[in-house]
Amino acid sequence: MTITPLHFPECLGKCTITGPSLQQVSSIVYDSREATNGSVFICIKGEHHDGHLFIEQALGRGAKAIVGTDSKHLNRYTPYDNDVSFITVHDSKEALARLSTAFYNSPADQLSTVGITGTNGKTTVTSYIYSMLNALSFRTGSIGTAGIWTDQKKTKFKQTVPTTPEAPDIHHVLNHFQENGVQGALLESTSIALDQKRLGGIEFNVAVHTNLTPEHLEFHKTMDDYRKAKMKLFKQAGKAIVNLDDKGMAQGIIDTFDGALVTYSVTAMADFEATEIHFSDKGTFFNLHALGSIYKVEAPIYGKYNVSNLLAAVASCYQLGFSLKEVLSVISKVKSPEGRFQIVDNHAPYQIVLDYAHTPDALSHVLQAVKEIPYKKLIVMITGVGLRDPRKRPLMAREVEGLADEIVVSVDQPGFADREVVVNDVLKGFAETYTNHIHSRLYREQAIHHAFDLAESGDLVLLTGIGFGGYQIIGDEKVPYSEFEVIDQYFSSKKTTLKEPV
Ligand SMILES: CC(=O)N[C@H]1[C@@H](OP(=O)(O)OP(=O)(O)OC[C@H]2O[C@@H](n3ccc(=O)[nH]c3=O)[C@H](O)[C@@H]2O)O[C@H](CO)[C@@H](O)[C@@H]1O[C@H](C)C(=O)N[C@@H](C)C(=O)N[C@H](CCC(=O)O)C(=O)O
Ligand SMILES: Nc1ncnc2c1ncn2[C@@H]1O[C@H](COP(=O)(O)OP(=O)(O)OP(=O)(O)O)[C@@H](O)[C@H]1O
């Protein structure tokens, strides 16, 4: 067990302390149930509970310091525990980040760090940068929706939050990277995490922007607040990479960022610009205009939006100090994350493409991308997400209407939402709801099987939504879910064999 002496006024700045200012600390926890002998417990007021109500439990489990914003609660315990530090702060989340940074001895400072933010594309850009940097023998780990990876493999670190972990978990991972000789760390930086200061205390070498379109409004409430949350990443970075094609926040970053900034675009002049984009079944070809020259690029990716993601990744490697020649030498090594425009190699007489699109913007991009693949009929499955903003659901229908021959509507991550309500919300987005070509199924599994039932030789089946990550949230439980098992079940029941996905 690591024991770190923490001097609280030094770590926290302005705060009020009753009890010792210095403690030998064994862990930093925000959940009383995780407290052990020597822990610092930080009380957080959440959506469902007030962490201050669990002080007694944390003390009972051996916590040596309690940090919170509510001095009334803290003062209740001070007369009884003279050897415990009770610390009142202005902002618990900020305190959590500061204490975590100090406990792990600022591991981010020893690594080259890249923060990636945007509504869509974070996981893809992270995966592209990860594969290129490791191919350049710059040992790089990553933290995000695809899991926590060292340069070698996916780790077993527990992910309590879908994408960007809580501050103690981030610094624990960065410390592990550092102790194992990893040189670079890529962090998907969600707006919620930025808003909640989970990334507080990290000075990123590079901050990357992909795009900003409506999402997470169930949390941020307005687009302006959503944008402001994402902008925070650029206040804690030395260099920035900006997507000029994005109307949502590109200009905002350009206007306010005061470090070294480069731009990229697939439609306009930029520091990294792609033109003459062509697709084949092997991937994409384009001309890269950068640093005053034109380079012919061939990469194993699909869709114009992925060319945009690739430019972001190339610019990131460049901003980290690699020459363009070095970066281009490993471009053939880029790997896409699971479920992002993944073509399933199978023995069915039709093609199957899986894509994580669960926002209207993502769906519109992936629909454009499949148009590059020849097919007779296009069958698309779309979903409404129970856990997220209901206003987004009909917009998914609007994006696909008129672009597919058959559409199957279903539900992802229902949470406590009624599946019928979610499906009906999506269906409301169709101008012509009652056509024979719009189908609905309450369960993702059923919808996938129905999409296959509709498919014939030469067709293309596009399955979109949250089929990846290994679970569906039903009620408040994470129920295991595997997209490939669902696909396999269909074909084994039809006695058709399916090869491993490529
Ligand atoms: C909306 C949100 O931010 N939720 C986070 C929040 O949960 P909450 O507000 O419900 O917490 P709560 O249950 O009210 O509890 C308040 C505090 O009391 C503590 N507690 C609770 C019970 C107890 O017995 N003892 C105790 O100490 C809790 O640990 C917590 O610190 O605080 C928890 C602990 O700090 C987080 O794990 C949880 O993230 C949940 C898992 C989550 O799903 N978050 C999503 C919305 C999220 O952050 N997503 C983004 C974006 C995803 C993407 O676009 O890819 C992400 O970065 O993953
Ligand atoms: N640059 C982009 N612009 C628009 N859509 C994109 C872009 N990149 C990816 N997408 C779409 O968004 C989907 C999700 O991509 P990805 O997982 O990389 O995004 P993300 O930002 O990590 O999403 P999440 O926050 O939900 O994990 C892809 O499957 C694709 O349909």
Side-chain angles (χ1 to χ4, degrees):
M1 188 199 289
T2 318
I3 300 288
T4 310
L6 288 187
H7 185 261
F8 297 116
E10 250 175 51
C11 305
L12 293 169
K14 201 168 165 225
C15 60
T16 310
I17 304 180
T18 308
S21 296
L22 178 80
Q23 292 280 5
Q24 300 299 322
V25 171
S26 63
S27 66
I28 308 290
V29 299
Y30 52 87
D31 187 330
S32 55
R33 293 162 290 195
E34 307 273 317
T36 54
N37 202 19
S39 296
V40 178
F41 171 59
I42 291 96
C43 311
I44 290 173
K45 288 186 184 171
E47 273 184 34
H48 306 98
H49 299 104
D50 179 353
H52 293 87
L53 300 178
F54 304 107
I55 295 177
E56 197 165 326
Q57 187 181 35
L59 290 172
R61 297 179 63 89
K64 279 285 166 280
I66 307 291
V67 180
T69 49
D70 198 332
S71 54
K72 259 192 278 154
H73 276 292
L74 296 173
N75 290 342
R76 236 183 254 164
Y77 300 92
T78 45
Y80 309 109
D81 285 295
N82 292 333
D83 58 342
V84 175
S85 314
F86 292 92
I87 309 165
T88 309
V89 293
H90 172 65
D91 182 337
S92 289
K93 288 279 186 176
E94 187 182 323
L96 181 62
R98 282 176 172 240
L99 289 166
S100 308
T101 309
F103 179 73
Y104 288 105
N105 206 9
S106 309
D109 294 351
Q110 316 303 317
L111 297 159
S112 293
T113 47
V114 182
I116 301 103
T117 202
T119 308
N120 294 306
K122 296 180 293 298
T123 309
T124 307
V125 171
T126 301
S127 176
Y128 290 174
I129 305 175
Y130 176 91
S131 37
M132 288 200 286
L133 288 182
N134 282 312
L136 287 164
S137 301
F138 189 76
R139 296 184 55 195
T140 300
S142 67
I143 300 176
T145 318
I148 294 170
W149 293 72
T150 64
D151 58 322
Q152 305 288 330
K153 58 176 196 289
K154 193 168 176 172
T155 66
K156 294 205 161 81
F157 279 100
K158 199 169 81 186
Q159 271 187 295
T160 47
V161 184
T163 303
T164 314
E166 296 290 345
D169 305 323
I170 292 178
H171 292 278
H172 186 191
V173 172
L174 295 180
N175 183 55
H176 173 80
F177 284 175
Q178 197 204 335
E179 285 181 347
N180 288 281
V182 170
Q183 299 156 286
L186 313 175
L187 285 104
E188 284 188 47
S189 309
T190 65
S191 55
I192 298 179
L194 287 159
D195 202 57
Q196 296 183 346
K197 305 191 168 87
R198 292 181 206 159
L199 296 153
I202 301 178
E203 269 305 308
F204 287 95
N205 295 81
V206 180
V208 185
H209 150 248
T210 60
N211 45 62
L212 184 88
T213 57
E215 170 72 322
H216 290 310
L217 294 180
E218 75 287 351
F219 179 88
H220 297 290
K221 311 296 180 214
T222 67
M223 275 306 281
D224 196 39
D225 283 350
Y226 180 38
R227 187 179 55 81
K228 281 184 185 143
K230 289 212 175 289
M231 289 292 290
K232 289 181 183 166
L233 181 67
F234 298 87
K235 296 200 167 59
Q236 51 186 102
K239 295 181 178 178
I241 293 166
V242 177
N243 178 10
L244 278 190
D245 300 327
D246 173 54
K247 303 277 172 284
M249 62 185 278
Q251 198 56 47
I253 306 170
I254 292 168
D255 291 345
T256 55
F257 191 74
D258 53 14
L261 182 147
V262 297
T263 56
Y264 66 96
S265 171
V266 292
T267 60
M269 269 177 67
D271 297 315
F272 292 79
E273 181 194 349
T275 61
E276 308 289 324
I277 302 171
H278 298 291
F279 305 99
S280 82
D281 54 355
K282 296 201 172 46
T284 302
F285 304 82
F286 63 93
N287 285 345
L288 170 67
H289 302 247
L291 310 177
S293 299
I294 304 175
Y295 305 87
K296 293 235 168 283
V297 174
E298 182 182 344
I301 59 169
Y302 298 90
K304 199 169 179 183
Y305 63 93
N306 277 325
V307 175
S308 178
N309 291 335
L310 186 63
L311 293 180
V314 167
S316 302
C317 297
Y318 176 76
Q319 287 284 59
L320 283 175
F322 291 91
S323 71
L324 201 48
K325 193 170 161 220
E326 286 172 307
V327 180
L328 295 179
S329 73
V330 291
I331 220 152
S332 61
K333 303 276 195 300
V334 295
K335 285 210 168 63
S336 300
E338 191 182 47
R340 275 70 172 181
F341 211 94
Q342 183 165 355
I343 298 173
V344 180
D345 188 15
N346 69 86
H347 291 298
Y350 46 85
Q351 296 212 65
I352 303 168
V353 175
L354 313 177
D355 191 82
Y356 198 62
H358 56 83
T359 67
D361 184 53
L363 186 62
S364 112
H365 281 90
V366 77
L367 285 166
Q368 278 170 37
V370 287
K371 295 275 171 205
E372 304 295 336
I373 301 177
Y375 55 76
K376 281 193 188 153
K377 272 196 293 100
L378 177 62
I379 297 143
V380 179
M381 180 185 83
I382 60 168
T383 60
V385 181
L387 284 180
R388 298 202 183 171
D389 184 6
R391 284 171 293 181
K392 209 175 74 179
R393 294 175 196 154
L395 304 181
M396 300 300 280
R398 237 167 266 167
E399 287 300 342
V400 71
E401 187 160 28
L403 295 180
D405 299 283
E406 303 284 349
I407 300 164
V408 187
V409 176
S410 190
V411 180
D412 271 327
Q413 314 285 25
F416 287 103
D418 180 331
R419 288 175 184 271
E420 277 194 37
V421 170
V422 176
V423 164
N424 284 333
D425 281 349
V426 177
L427 291 175
K428 280 179 203 150
F430 289 110
E432 290 180 51
T433 318
Y434 299 103
T435 95
N436 294 333
H437 302 291
I438 298 171
H439 316 254
S440 62
R441 293 292 181 276
L442 297 184
Y443 290 82
R444 189 172 172 93
E445 297 85 332
Q446 298 169 342
I448 291 175
H449 287 194
H450 189 65
F452 292 158
D453 281 342
L454 294 167
E456 292 169 326
S457 176
D459 290 348
L460 194 157
V461 179
L462 171 65
L463 304 175
T464 70
I466 308 179
F468 296 86
Y471 61 86
Q472 284 276 328
I473 299 179
I474 302 176
D476 55 4
E477 261 180 69
K478 282 184 175 181
V479 177
Y481 174 84
S482 159
E483 190 92 328
F484 290 112
E485 269 174 29
V486 173
I487 296 174
D488 270 342
Q489 275 161 13
Y490 182 86
F491 289 101
S492 30
S493 72
K494 301 274 173 216
K495 301 213 178 339
T496 309
T497 43
L498 196 69
K499 279 196 266 167
E500 283 294 298
V502 283

